[in-house]
Amino acid sequence: MMTKNLLTPAEITGKMLDVSEKKANNSFGNMLLLGIMAGMFIALGSVSATVMWGTTGDLGISKFLGAAIFPVGIILVILAGAELFTGNNLMSLGLINGRITAGALLKNWTAIFVGNFIGSIFIAFLVYKGELWGTVGNLNHVGEKAVAVAQAKAGLTFSVAFFRAILCNIVVSLSVWMSLGATTAGGKILTLWFPVTAFVMASYEHVVANMFFIPVGIFHGAAVTWSQMAISFIPVTLGNIVGGGIIVPVAYHFIYLKAKK
């Protein structure tokens, strides 16, 4: 008997409903721990991406190499087992179809968001204390790039950050959606690698990635305050929810689920 390597779009939609219910019924403690792990994983991918951006000269090559290594983080999330706020935005499909409550959805999103931040800033702190990119006032090229990235992200206007974040999580949530339908490790890696590389290349905004990029820049002397960082998260979080929590799941609800009712 042959095993399917990829579920159909309709089958993925049904599976996402089951996954949403399972995630919503997890304990808050487990959600938090899974969120911490995902924050660490995304940060580890971000570390390598920053190294590429800071050590390769040509702008196009630099952007591509950094974008190409960044998906290591989400591959770890999916294959090693963790929970990412932007991926869990897809759980709204369960809310739309009555499989989970609004309270359960918000509990999950809150636990995962907090966990993602804890994990991300933990890795940022380790990078800083390890002096991998130099010290404040004596940074190497990677450290200088980290500072520049943090200042650029924190300096975006509300509307620019919001719309870039919508674009980001349309792509990221679709990569998670496709990975749910892949039945092999290789298939999951491919469904994650190319879309996530594309979003990084396009300079979209991902709130969990920013949970690393901005703190690590602050640690290395970026002219950004912690309150500015927190404020910058607001439009990116809202945009990510619109992209991955409304546009994608609502579309697939009407295409594959509403027609069955």
Side-chain angles (χ1 to χ4, degrees):
M1 182 178 177
M2 293 184 63
T3 302
K4 293 176 64 173
N5 290 327
L6 185 67
L7 303 180
T8 67
E11 289 171 334
I12 296 174
T13 306
K15 188 173 181 180
M16 188 68 234
L17 279 176
D18 296 335
V19 169
S20 298
E21 188 172 8
K22 183 177 179 180
K23 288 176 180 287
N25 289 330
N26 207 346
S27 69
F28 187 90
N30 279 348
M31 292 178 191
L32 185 65
L33 288 172
L34 288 166
I36 291 172
M37 296 301 292
M40 291 172 59
F41 295 160
I42 296 298
L44 289 170
S46 301
V47 171
S48 296
T50 307
V51 171
M52 289 293 98
W53 294 329
T55 56
T56 49
D58 181 87
L59 179 60
I61 294 174
S62 175
K63 287 193 72 172
F64 173 74
L65 291 176
I69 196 65
F70 180 87
V72 167
I74 198 166
I75 290 169
L76 288 171
V77 169
I78 299 300
L79 296 189
E83 295 210 13
L84 187 64
F85 173 75
T86 46
N88 280 20
N89 287 164
L90 289 167
M91 290 172 60
S92 58
L93 183 70
L95 176 65
I96 296 167
N97 287 273
R99 294 280 291 270
I100 63 176
T101 65
L105 180 66
L106 291 175
K107 182 182 80 170
N108 179 275
W109 283 2
T110 299
I112 301 305
F113 189 93
V114 172
N116 288 171
F117 180 72
I118 293 171
S120 297
I121 201 168
F122 174 63
I123 296 298
F125 181 74
L126 292 181
V127 170
Y128 164 66
K129 294 300 288 185
E131 299 185 4
L132 294 172
W133 302 341
T135 57
V136 177
N138 188 31
L139 300 175
N140 59 28
H141 291 309
V142 180
E144 292 171 353
K145 185 63 178 181
V147 167
V149 168
Q151 292 177 170
K153 288 182 174 294
L156 294 175
T157 65
F158 189 101
S159 62
V160 167
F162 176 71
F163 289 116
R164 289 186 184 184
I166 293 174
L167 289 164
C168 170
N169 214 25
I170 290 173
V171 178
V172 172
S173 65
L174 282 172
S175 72
V176 173
W177 186 277
M178 291 189 297
S179 75
L180 192 64
T183 60
T184 66
K188 290 183 183 295
I189 290 170
L190 289 174
T191 59
L192 293 165
W193 203 294
F194 291 101
V196 173
T197 295
F199 112 68
V200 179
M201 276 286 292
S203 299
Y204 300 153
E205 291 296 310
H206 186 273
V207 70
V208 182
N210 288 4
M211 290 175 182
F212 169 81
F213 286 127
I214 299 179
V216 82
I218 293 174
F219 288 145
H220 287 86
V224 179
T225 66
W226 293 105
S227 61
Q228 286 174 321
M229 177 198 72
I231 292 170
S232 76
F233 286 169
I234 296 172
V236 180
T237 301
L238 293 175
N240 286 165
I241 290 172
V242 171
I246 298 177
I247 293 175
V248 172
V250 168
Y252 282 120
H253 164 74
F254 280 103
I255 295 167
Y256 295 112
L257 298 174
K258 186 173 175 58
K260 294 181 179 180
K261 294 183 179 180

